[in-house]
Amino acid sequence: MGILRLSHAEVRVPDLELALAYYTEVVGLIETERGVGPDGGERAYLKAWDEHQHHSLVLVSAPTYGLETLGFKVEHAADLDELSASLADAGLEVARHEPGSLGAGSGATARFVAPSGHTVDLVHGMEQVGNSLPLHNPPPAPADLIGMHPPRIDHIFLLCEDVDGVTSFFRDVLDFRLTEQILADDGYQLATFLERSHTPHDIAFLTGPNGGFHHVAFWVDDWNDLRHAADTCAYHGVTIDAGPTRHGATRGCGLYFFDPAGNRNEVFTGGYHFDPDDEPTTWTEAEMGRAIFSYKGQVDPRFMTNHT
Amino acid sequence: MGILRLSHAEVRVPDLELALAYYTEVVGLIETERGVGPDGGERAYLKAWDEHQHHSLVLVSAPTYGLETLGFKVEHAADLDELSASLADAGLEVARHEPGSLGAGSGATARFVAPSGHTVDLVHGMEQVGNSLPLHNPPPAPADLIGMHPPRIDHIFLLCEDVDGVTSFFRDVLDFRLTEQILADDGYQLATFLERSHTPHDIAFLTGPNGGFHHVAFWVDDWNDLRHAADTCAYHGVTIDAGPTRHGATRGCGLYFFDPAGNRNEVFTGGYHFDPDDEPTTWTEAEMGRAIFSYKGQVDPRFMTNHT
Amino acid sequence: MGILRLSHAEVRVPDLELALAYYTEVVGLIETERGVGPDGGERAYLKAWDEHQHHSLVLVSAPTYGLETLGFKVEHAADLDELSASLADAGLEVARHEPGSLGAGSGATARFVAPSGHTVDLVHGMEQVGNSLPLHNPPPAPADLIGMHPPRIDHIFLLCEDVDGVTSFFRDVLDFRLTEQILADDGYQLATFLERSHTPHDIAFLTGPNGGFHHVAFWVDDWNDLRHAADTCAYHGVTIDAGPTRHGATRGCGLYFFDPAGNRNEVFTGGYHFDPDDEPTTWTEAEMGRAIFSYKGQVDPRFMTNHT
Amino acid sequence: MGILRLSHAEVRVPDLELALAYYTEVVGLIETERGVGPDGGERAYLKAWDEHQHHSLVLVSAPTYGLETLGFKVEHAADLDELSASLADAGLEVARHEPGSLGAGSGATARFVAPSGHTVDLVHGMEQVGNSLPLHNPPPAPADLIGMHPPRIDHIFLLCEDVDGVTSFFRDVLDFRLTEQILADDGYQLATFLERSHTPHDIAFLTGPNGGFHHVAFWVDDWNDLRHAADTCAYHGVTIDAGPTRHGATRGCGLYFFDPAGNRNEVFTGGYHFDPDDEPTTWTEAEMGRAIFSYKGQVDPRFMTNHT
């Protein structure tokens, strides 16, 4: 089977307490544990309310902001062996880690550095902590949710120099499916959208510096939740970067804003079901503005360059 | 009783056919009549689908864009006499017009030029044409609505040099109630919001040139309709100026966009019920950005200066 | 000017503490005061969050459930004199009460018993307590709202034997406007909808016993809020009577449920703007089911008979 | 990989033209082809607008209503061999069919009769016809959608005598995952919900006669679309069976209604993402009402017995 979906992101923040206040009270994630990472640095583990696993976001105390690692969940333990073999065949070094050895709750992990410069973990068996609803006769949601309270992580958007090459790697070696692409007039890929969960994207790449981090997105259930998220930002004085708006690519709707460290967040909803035999959609360079922001039809240069 | 609500706006457009296509197909208004105005110029009369009266928007063929007149609906025929007397007491000239004499469907009218430089009509008895639903056992809406299809006009936003003076005039002479104001640090009113319909505003003024026209707004029923309106703009290539967003002042949500002539339109929803004994809300100059765009927290200078 | 809108309802509850817990935690109203009424009985005063006046719902400790009185807000103090004179001309006894004499926060009041058997208060100058938002640079809503948290009261639905006669009384003596009616096949009015606030209804009457109380309704902002209200009922085990659904009459959408004493509540949204010169809509007896519940197209007999 | 998701349902209708008018104009599906089935009977092929494959609903001219077959989409051609082997191991007869041999657009198919008495097709390579949007720079949706216009099929709900046994079969032989179950007080399964697409259910079973068909559901994007669907039913006089409401099980929201032949349809939205290592939710018999209709908390007996 292989990769199921985006599992989690580890994000650097210089002020862990401030970031934690933001992610729990504004975004409305749930802190599951505090601890130290394998490097001895302080960490906070967070999950969205409807996730069952130990964490989908790890805040890593660090001198600056940015992405530390991202993780994909695989279905079977054996997928780690198969994908590790594929990665090795592709010439990459893969490090295997026992459950718990990469921090609190961590599962069996195959870690590698992708050609995009990002450290990627393939994970099986992360500790399950439940979604805080009872397993018998549950209500549709806990009553004490605050902030934007997205139910789960959705996708991650990264930057890299060679979008064509990185996209081929994710398709050929990790079996991702291309759903959409923005093509430059001279034919190379300006941006690509890739999925394993039959949605518009689990991961996307935009032309930029290797290792660049554009945003991590959490799912919300509808357009009304996006207004609630925007009201929540306004209420707390959180800087909104863009939205609520619709994207041309993915057809989804989103709101972008920044955590106190400067990492961009999105809450996202909508989009479509993607079958493996569906054709990808292509956007031309002239329509890139509309591909990203369907309503404005243009992209603020800051949106393309302000990344971490 | 006096003024009930904003009745209609007459808007100048150089290309009447193009404007008509836009207002019927994109905005989704309904053309009720073509004709010539009292000045002999060509006109198109439009109404929102749920309005019963002959028109709420008149397109006036003219060399340039901008606002020709705006109209308020009064409850009783006698209100025209009383308000005319009040206007005369305030030193203004009032011209009375018979039904039909100011164009198709027009009611008995008292016309004057407000201190803001805008021509204002007080109207009683505009021709009633019905809302296209049957009077017996109607469905909630006609089945053939297209575009944004707002049910009715909501408010108008104008510019004038002396907001304090104009606001006093509308309150003292026409019995408008102040709901919100943005105060400059040195105390004068940068913007004011005035109502007669127990809503956040029927008319609003922003500091600018006398006679200036910022936008006319149509009501839509909810936040979902704003997304539909934005999708409709995107589909037709109509330039979106701002939104979907929430306003700090009025708490309403809106989307701004331009007609083919350059007149700004808004679709608006939300806000509150205002009683005559409620206190107005005041925004400070430092918070003007948030008063206008709650999410961005700042106003693009173009939004303040691009008016007609 | 006369009557502005529905001001408040006084509702009987045998267990004041239980009712108060329900109205504050489930409905999400705000308790403004506890006290004793003019009859010496215990009372709790509640308001919806965005109302500025002292109360829109009064819980009256009583051996059984039902409606004690309903109140309309008038614009000017002089309206009390004029409407009292009209009522006296119509042969009704009117009792005038000083501010504060009819319980905490009460304004100057003209009280009478309508031909429908209901005690009605016309009120001017109820104590203003504000809507809990600051008057300078407010957020769109307080951050600590719970339950359904409607912003305001909307309408009241009563029963009476002679709907035709009562409707004439409200139109002729109190200047209400008829917006919709359900006509029996033999021509009499089965139900009527009347307004003063340019909405589909401030008050409505259904054929039944004089003095009967069908429901009091609070406004919510959209269809999403109705789902939230239904989820809130389900979470707290509150019995839902009907909905979320759309009404044919008023075109509004609503959810019906019961307070712990058995008084029916509604949360309502939607509907239209009604001008004084608009024509009322008529429903035939055969379409009464759809007039009330547009989706089911039929009315559960319990809905018609279970009243208080 | 195996089964991806529910692919399609073949539904019997006595009046093909009437059913077709309903499914295209009320539900808003798109007719892709008319033809004759392998049995020589007349058929109409329909798809939801955002589906890329030839059909998700086949109307089969037949003397009565009910379900003819249901189909699941598999990822790889080889999945048909593997699943056929598993089915044979489980003692079932599997018939293999070439693309096109089971009607217009049909893919390579492995057909068997499940222990529930339903004929099931596993399909690979159904003809692709696209979703009517261009593959370059598409708008978010076609402009000419009518009716409820769901983007895709969602799930199917069937009846069978031995829910425990059938559920084991779908889990063990076809690798479905159990997401929710309603347990009778004496321990057997009254209803089960099973998925392959990481959603709350692709298929569900309720205790009843073998071969019974409760409903087929199409996805809509949000709660607002459910109101639109209900308005559409009301507009066309289509009988609404239940809703708009929320389900306790799946947490989704839905609306039930009947096609002209008496087949029950649902439009459904919401629910959650289900990982293979998530725990199923269990409802007790006492809470069965709330499991199905969260708002009413009880199930109309008709809902349980009126099946086809």
Side-chain angles (χ1 to χ4, degrees), chain A residues 19-20 33 50 93 109 122 151 154 158 163 195 200 210-211 233 261 293:
Chain A
L20 197 48
E33 196 163 340
D50 197 27
E93 264 183 68
T109 303
L122 306 178
D154 189 80
L158 305 176
V163 174
E195 63 85 23
N210 266 0
C233 283
F293 294 131

Side-chain angles (χ1 to χ4, degrees), chain A residues 181-201:
Chain A
Q181 59 183 344
I182 307 176
L183 286 190
D185 291 342
D186 51 8
Y188 68 87
Q189 291 173 316
L190 284 165
T192 54
F193 301 74
L194 297 149
E195 63 85 23
R196 286 288 308 167
S197 60
H198 306 290
T199 61
H201 54 355

